[in-house]
Amino acid sequence: MTTRENDVEAVLSAVRKMVPQLRENGLEAEDRRWLPDENLRLLEDAGVFRMATPDYLGGLGFSVAEQAAVLSEIARGDVSTSWIASVWVSSAWMATLFPEEIQKEVFATPSVRISGGFTPSGVLKATDGGYTLNGSWKFNSGCRGAHWNIATSLIEHPDGRYEDAIAMVPMSDFSIADDWNTSSVAATGSCTSTAENVFVPAHRVIPGDAAAFEAALAELPADWQPTGREYGLYSFIIAQGVATLIGAARGALDAFLDRLPGRGITYTPWTEQKLHPLTQIQVATADAKIAAAEALMGRVYETLQRRADAGELPTLQEKAATRGHSAYAVELAKEAVAILFNASGATAIQRAVPIQRFHRDIQGLALHGMILLNSSLEVHGRVLLGLDPETPLL
């Protein structure tokens, strides 16, 4: 095995061992609306936060498929924990697209945690040596434990023009509102972060929107040697994030099977639910849907990796397929969890029973705009039919 293969197996092995503890900590995480310190320590010790950091900067440099395998395994224990890991790791990958000066600052901590988003909710005004930043960013997943924040903003020029820009800002420069109180993924702490007259050095502000990062990837020097990690921006973020939802479905199946021994079917002669043919069909159907979702994403990861290895960005058709197939994989995973939850009986609504948390969490995450089923399939369908996709999320 290569060094990286050994690294991947080491991280996966450590994560598999922590799954029961993550699941046990689920109720505490929901109650505090943020991840327990133990969860963060376990992920840190396993090397999860180093997955996207380049190896020459002290990281592991995992591929998108390798990251997805780890995130899916984490989600078998707790969905919120996996989602936060996904956000921090994908944002760390995005930081590798920033200029070298910023990368050296950010990756001074190889296991860096970076939050952020793509909504330009801040305004940057030029000042001596840089900019003054003001603004608020809602749904800032992981901001409560991040080291840095990618603040998508607008530069306000003296003549009244506005220009898209992305700023890399220490999380300590933001205030965080305690406004995340939800019925789904409650432990992600996706609060509102606010910057008030924060000074940002000029070198940490990159003009252009998120799409400009992808354009930069398409214009690498002719002598550039591909690292195999230059994926399309939105394709990477969407495909990597879906791993959490598929892992949630696997976790729900685990939780269902764990509760099954000795369970009967109330008000019927069946003293063993697992002996009923309907239960057998339900379990097999759920497993098949999850396996189908995994296979679909396997194709997506293969396409993205093949392009990255060749130093190419995905084609428009491949980007559209990534979004459409990812959303459909989420739908399959969501359907699998619904089957299992509906077969779990009334006692499953107790907050201490993990399957109800898997059910609520996957329902909530499936509403994310990047993987919303109908809009994603519409984009994919338009491209298949040779029409303008009319969306920036490609």
Side-chain angles (χ1 to χ4, degrees):
M1 294 175 66
T2 65
T3 300
R4 199 183 81 248
E5 287 172 333
N6 284 327
D7 288 339
V8 173
E9 185 51 43
V11 175
L12 278 171
S13 177
V15 169
R16 290 188 191 106
K17 291 177 182 176
M18 73 175 72
V19 164
Q21 190 61 53
L22 295 179
R23 192 172 299 171
E24 183 178 328
N25 291 349
L27 184 56
E28 176 193 349
E30 278 202 319
D31 285 342
R32 72 195 300 247
R33 292 178 291 122
W34 178 235
L35 305 183
D37 293 343
E38 181 178 28
N39 291 24
L40 297 177
R41 178 184 59 78
L42 288 170
L43 297 183
E44 177 88 28
D45 291 347
V48 170
F49 303 140
R50 296 170 54 221
M51 291 197 298
T53 303
D55 52 8
Y56 63 87
L57 290 172
L60 297 172
F62 282 7
S63 69
V64 61
E66 291 161 349
Q67 293 177 32
V70 172
L71 294 168
S72 184
E73 196 67 22
I74 295 170
R76 286 183 52 237
D78 181 65
V79 180
S80 288
T81 302
S82 178
W83 186 252
I84 291 305
S86 171
V87 169
W88 286 344
V89 172
S90 64
S91 297
W93 171 84
M94 189 173 172
T96 66
L97 308 181
F98 280 70
E100 185 177 356
E101 185 176 6
I102 300 178
Q103 290 191 47
K104 287 181 177 179
E105 289 183 282
V106 169
F107 292 116
T109 302
S111 56
V112 67
R113 308 172 189 174
I114 307 175
S115 292
F118 297 113
T119 303
S121 302
V123 174
L124 292 153
K125 291 187 177 181
T127 187
D128 290 342
Y131 298 86
T132 300
L133 174 65
N134 285 279
S136 292
W137 291 261
K138 295 182 178 181
F139 300 100
N140 197 348
S141 295
C143 63
R144 291 180 62 176
H147 302 129
W148 294 83
N149 203 30
I150 296 176
T152 308
S153 306
L154 297 171
I155 297 175
E156 182 179 345
H157 292 285
D159 61 3
R161 290 182 302 108
Y162 285 89
E163 179 184 8
D164 290 314
I166 297 176
M168 184 71 78
V169 187
M171 198 70 236
S172 57
D173 287 345
F174 294 80
S175 61
I176 299 174
D178 184 15
D179 59 358
W180 185 252
N181 194 356
T182 62
S183 61
S184 179
V185 285
T188 60
S190 302
C191 304
T192 300
S193 60
T194 298
E196 294 185 6
N197 297 318
V198 171
F199 174 72
V200 184
H203 74 274
R204 292 187 190 157
V205 176
I206 313 301
D209 60 10
F213 280 81
E214 184 152 315
L217 284 175
E219 299 172 2
L220 291 170
D223 60 351
W224 174 263
Q225 296 299 311
T227 67
R229 300 296 177 264
E230 293 87 11
Y231 308 104
L233 178 64
Y234 288 117
S235 294
F236 169 85
I237 291 172
I238 291 170
Q240 189 247 41
V242 166
T244 291
L245 290 95
I246 295 178
R250 279 283 170 215
L253 181 56
D254 292 343
F256 180 83
L257 295 176
D258 287 347
R259 294 184 76 229
L260 208 51
R263 281 184 55 83
I265 303 178
T266 307
Y267 305 126
T268 76
W270 293 89
T271 58
E272 284 285 346
Q273 183 182 0
K274 68 179 181 181
L275 297 180
H276 198 292
L278 177 58
T279 300
Q280 296 157 14
I281 292 170
Q282 289 169 324
V283 168
T285 301
D287 180 69
K289 286 179 180 289
I290 299 168
E294 292 168 338
L296 198 54
M297 293 310 300
R299 289 179 55 183
V300 169
Y301 298 137
E302 188 279 329
T303 298
L304 296 182
Q305 194 58 56
R306 175 166 44 82
R307 289 296 184 188
D309 287 343
E312 303 167 348
L313 288 176
T315 65
L316 176 63
Q317 290 74 21
E318 289 166 343
K319 292 175 184 177
T322 292
R323 186 171 173 193
H325 290 172
S326 295
Y328 199 77
V330 167
E331 185 68 12
L332 289 168
K334 189 173 70 170
E335 290 172 356
V337 175
I339 290 170
L340 297 167
F341 179 72
N342 290 332
S344 294
T347 56
I349 66 173
Q350 298 175 94
R351 293 183 65 230
V353 177
I355 196 167
Q356 53 78 33
R357 188 172 305 109
F358 285 114
H359 183 250
R360 286 186 288 111
D361 285 352
I362 199 169
Q363 292 285 334
L365 281 183
L367 296 174
H368 196 291
M370 284 191 176
I371 51 176
L372 203 60
L373 182 65
N374 286 340
S375 58
S376 297
L377 291 180
E378 180 186 7
V379 169
H380 189 196
R382 291 186 65 86
V383 172
L384 286 172
L385 294 169
L387 303 173
D388 183 350
E390 298 180 348
T391 176
L393 295 179
L394 286 177

